[in-house]
Amino acid sequence: MKKVFLLGLSLTLFLASCTKSDDPFVEKVVTPTYGNGILILNEGGFQKNNASLNFVGYDLSTSYDDIAKPTGSQTLGDVAQSMAFNATKAFVVMNNSNKIEIFDRYTLKYEATIDKNLSQPRYIALTNDEIYVTNWGTKSVNVFKQSDYSFVKAIPLNYQPENLVVSNNKVYVQEVSEWNATKSANKISIIDPKTKSVSKVITVKGKEEDKSDLQGIVAHGDFVYAISSNSYRTDFFKINNITDTQILTFPSGANNSAKNLRAENATLYYTSNNKVFSWDINDINAKEKPLLTLTAPESQDLYSAFYGFNVINNKIYVANAGNYTGPSAIKVYDLHGKVLSSFKGGLLTNGFYNNFKY
């Protein structure tokens, strides 16, 4: 009996030891983090409430889909338009939901929502203390505090505000004409964050009869760069952010219909028809040799072909939205046009964002 008792006690102790939480055979759930990689914004269908956010690591081998949702919601929302970051938070502009969803930048855990004083919001930029958002519904840039997300002021504009950038402690707003307008805007409004008002308006192209429109604006160093284009030409602009004057303008008939202006280190990038070109910050003419040329069938619908575009860490990210009803086809190229990776995105992938870890 004693031997049986000792054997039973030994088995009990053995089983108990196997149930400890630090046992190497017990699988632990690891919560992924999304730093040092690319956040991929998927717009989703209009009024379909199916926008989403994906992630792929810099090595292009680790990926996660649909990683950000407000508490209690099954989706990110309706029409994810754009994103911006501060040191710890990610801000996602939801155009048709008239909201800004705010998440932890690296865990994508939901934190807050701004759902007041927004009307068809488009793009977002952050100063040290405030949030600036362009609104098509009210032709305004609306300002919120970063500290508590409270509304500060709506700054009215004369045209439709699109993208905006912060440079030299000022906010530069790209203005475009409405879709049915007979004349183009080609205005950059400069907002002084101290007064919360427009301090100056720059007309980057005076020939409104050309019906060209601003297609992009970026900030780099002491300058703001912009492009304006139509089907037969593109104009390139370089603006001094201290004097707020144009210091360089040059046209190109070869690289017409330019759009998707992006900045990476000391180089700018843009698309023109079915090609990707670089623009060195010291260039005084447009380059004629492209970095990348799309071929059929990808080049047959160029609006779809470059629905999402960016250059991050010397890699070109391109999202083809296809027929606008299924997953986008994403390709990653090196700067010589070689395909490095291909994978599926979400519905209408419209943006790639560098989520580097501080």
Side-chain angles (χ1 to χ4, degrees), residues 30-316:
V30 178
T31 302
T33 57
Y34 306 105
N36 294 325
I38 311 300
L39 291 175
I40 302 171
L41 192 62
N42 305 302
E43 181 178 307
F46 179 69
Q47 294 184 335
K48 299 297 185 182
N49 198 42
N50 56 359
S52 62
L53 186 66
N54 297 355
F55 172 86
V56 63
Y58 288 145
D59 60 3
L60 304 178
S61 63
T62 303
S63 63
Y64 300 95
D65 294 343
D66 204 10
I67 58 176
K69 299 174 185 176
T71 301
S73 177
Q74 297 300 311
T75 70
L76 182 57
D78 194 5
V79 183
Q81 183 68 44
S82 61
M83 292 185 68
F85 307 90
N86 63 18
T88 60
K89 295 177 177 59
F91 300 78
V92 185
V93 178
M94 305 303 303
N95 173 263
N96 204 44
S97 294
N98 289 311
K99 295 181 180 181
I100 299 173
E101 301 291 7
I102 303 164
F103 303 89
D104 180 276
R105 177 170 179 169
Y106 300 115
T107 66
L108 273 299
K109 180 181 178 181
Y110 170 76
E111 294 199 357
T113 298
I114 299 174
D115 58 3
K116 299 290 191 298
N117 298 293
L118 293 169
S119 179
Q120 291 182 275
R122 298 282 292 173
Y123 293 91
I124 180 171
L126 307 177
T127 62
N128 289 333
D129 305 312
E130 294 168 325
I131 304 166
Y132 287 73
V133 186
T134 56
N135 290 261
W136 268 40
T138 51
K139 290 185 182 178
S140 66
V141 175
N142 291 9
V143 188
F144 303 83
K145 291 182 180 179
Q146 282 196 50
S147 57
D148 59 6
Y149 310 127
S150 60
F151 177 66
V152 177
K153 184 180 180 181
I155 303 170
L157 301 174
N158 292 322
Y159 297 90
Q160 297 286 20
E162 270 286 89
N163 206 357
L164 70 173
V165 296
V166 176
S167 186
N168 191 27
N169 298 316
K170 292 174 283 187
V171 181
Y172 293 75
V173 186
Q174 166 193 346
E175 293 186 65
V176 301
S177 55
E178 298 183 49
W179 68 271
N180 59 348
T182 58
K183 293 185 178 181
S184 300
N186 281 314
K187 310 287 185 182
I188 296 177
S189 287
I190 305 170
I191 295 174
D192 183 351
K194 294 179 181 179
T195 63
K196 307 291 185 301
S197 61
V198 175
S199 60
K200 186 174 183 178
V201 178
I202 299 175
T203 301
V204 294
K205 195 169 186 299
K207 297 180 180 179
E208 291 184 334
E209 64 273 16
D210 283 347
K211 295 183 181 179
S212 62
D213 241 332
L214 276 170
Q215 300 292 335
I217 183 171
V218 298
H220 179 79
D222 294 331
F223 304 98
V224 173
Y225 300 83
I227 53 175
S228 176
S229 71
N230 55 28
S231 61
Y232 60 90
R233 67 180 283 165
T234 294
D235 291 279
F236 299 77
F237 307 98
K238 185 176 183 180
I239 298 167
N240 186 301
N241 69 7
I242 298 174
T243 62
D244 290 330
T245 56
Q246 296 182 59
I247 63 170
L248 178 67
T249 300
F250 59 89
S252 173
N255 304 1
N256 61 326
S257 301
K259 58 182 181 179
N260 296 317
L261 184 63
R262 304 288 186 265
E264 163 85 346
N265 298 321
T267 306
L268 310 179
Y269 299 88
Y270 62 94
T271 65
S272 170
N273 298 309
N274 64 330
K275 299 178 175 65
V276 177
F277 290 89
S278 64
W279 171 12
D280 185 273
I281 59 174
N282 297 312
D283 283 350
I284 58 174
N285 292 293
K287 288 184 173 66
E288 295 183 2
K289 183 179 179 180
L291 302 175
L292 166 66
T293 301
L294 298 182
T295 57
E298 292 175 313
S299 61
Q300 291 176 348
D301 181 352
L302 292 175
Y303 185 77
S304 171
F306 287 113
Y307 206 84
F309 172 80
N310 208 348
V311 180
I312 301 171
N313 296 337
N314 296 318
K315 295 183 179 71
I316 302 171

Side-chain angles (χ1 to χ4, degrees), residues 319-338:
N320 189 322
N323 62 2
Y324 309 102
T325 61
S328 298
I330 296 174
K331 286 189 177 181
V332 185
Y333 303 82
D334 67 14
L335 294 181
H336 302 288
K338 178 184 176 181

